[in-house]
Amino acid sequence: QKEVEQDPGPLSVPEGAIVSLNCTYSNSAFQYFMWYRQYSRKGPELLMYTYSSGNKEDGRFTAQVDKSSKYISLFIRDSQPSDSATYLCAMSALSVRGSTLGRLYFGRGTQLTVWP
Amino acid sequence: DAGITQSPRYKITETGRQVTLMCHQTWSHSYMFWYRQDLGHGLRLIYYSAAADITDKGEVPDGYVVSRSKTENFPLTLESATRSQTSVYFCASSEGPGRSYNEQFFGPGTRLTVL
């Protein structure tokens, strides 16, 4: 079983729709949860960053973390064609003690298309 | 230009050849990373570096070599390229440690084809 599972899609929605993207994970030590957005033929860029459980909102984007269910979500409200991209979840169990460096565990990414 | 750059952007090589992918960042970030991205696998960490002259293996290091003599540069070398190393390679950096470690800034990628 992979550490992080993410449905690759593709997901296609009309402009204005609410989009829900999800990841599940198996490692209960994960504390940091990120969503990266990757446009075609570009590098990923950090979109949302949350620590532990709860919600975080930034404009049309809301990230949710449910550690009890080991489940994270990204919601996009009023989706736009410019939101068309691949969305990757990432998470880590960072330790700064000693020489341990926590790696990021990425999901495979969900390809989203928002059509006008 | 400020940011993180990779060169070349596209590379075609033959099996058995040595190839070096370059990565340069202008932020003086401590941490640098090399990932490969393949369909069905997502992003996988090859090597990372916490500082100049400090490197460590990631998830898929076999067949790759890295060095970091200067903070701003982190070249990745394929010593004897194989077809299975055909992929898109991303370099990334982060300020780290702590919270900022997870805020990784990615380069534009290098598309490598091994024939």
Side-chain angles (χ1 to χ4, degrees):
Chain A
Q1 183 187 10
K2 283 180 67 71
E3 297 269 8
V4 179
E5 298 282 358
Q6 182 176 11
D7 186 341
L11 186 61
S12 182
V13 301
E15 182 175 356
I18 296 174
V19 176
S20 173
L21 305 168
N22 311 294
C23 288
T24 59
Y25 63 94
S26 57
N27 189 342
S28 58
F30 287 148
Q31 297 281 352
Y32 299 87
F33 303 91
M34 285 73 66
W35 286 95
Y36 282 81
R37 178 175 61 194
Q38 185 177 19
Y39 290 114
S40 180
R41 296 186 173 266
K42 301 286 188 183
E45 57 179 345
L46 183 64
L47 183 63
M48 297 288 283
Y49 188 159
T50 55
Y51 170 71
S52 194
S53 285
N55 293 359
K56 182 174 182 179
E57 189 173 322
D58 184 2
R60 297 183 295 108
F61 299 89
T62 300
Q64 286 187 352
V65 175
D66 182 349
K67 291 187 69 180
S68 63
S69 301
K70 297 189 178 68
Y71 188 88
I72 70 171
S73 301
L74 177 70
F75 297 96
I76 307 174
R77 292 186 301 279
D78 187 25
S79 57
Q80 302 294 310
S82 58
D83 295 327
S84 297
T86 296
Y87 291 81
L88 302 99
C89 62
M91 44 200 81
S92 72
L94 182 63
S95 170
V96 295
R97 290 192 297 265
S99 60
T100 301
L101 283 178
R103 52 168 281 209
L104 294 190
Y105 291 80
F106 283 90
R108 290 189 297 166
T110 300
Q111 185 180 348
L112 171 68
T113 300
V114 182
W115 43 275
Chain B
D1 291 336
I4 184 165
T5 57
Q6 294 182 237
S7 62
R9 294 293 313 280
Y10 302 89
K11 177 73 176 179
I12 299 174
T13 191
E14 295 177 337
T15 301
R17 296 214 178 220
Q18 184 179 81
V19 177
T20 296
L21 310 183
M22 304 301 292
C23 179
H24 176 78
Q25 52 103 356
T26 60
W27 294 303
S28 298
H29 283 170
S30 297
Y31 293 86
M32 295 188 75
F33 311 85
W34 274 106
Y35 292 91
R36 60 178 291 175
Q37 188 173 40
D38 306 283
L39 278 174
H41 290 283
L43 279 167
R44 291 183 290 176
L45 182 64
I46 305 170
Y47 268 95
Y48 63 94
S49 169
D53 297 322
I54 300 175
T55 62
D56 208 347
K57 296 178 180 179
E59 185 183 0
V60 289
D62 293 342
Y64 303 95
V65 175
V66 293
S67 62
R68 196 164 175 210
S69 57
K70 292 184 178 181
T71 300
E72 61 267 29
N73 296 325
F74 191 38
L76 175 74
T77 298
L78 288 66
E79 293 187 298
S80 179
T82 65
R83 289 181 181 168
S84 65
Q85 292 177 310
T86 293
S87 186
V88 181
Y89 290 85
F90 288 101
C91 179
S93 70
S94 71
E95 192 174 345
R99 183 185 189 277
S100 62
Y101 176 88
N102 295 310
E103 298 180 51
Q104 296 188 9
F105 295 84
F106 285 79
T110 294
R111 288 184 173 269
L112 176 67
T113 301
V114 183
L115 302 176

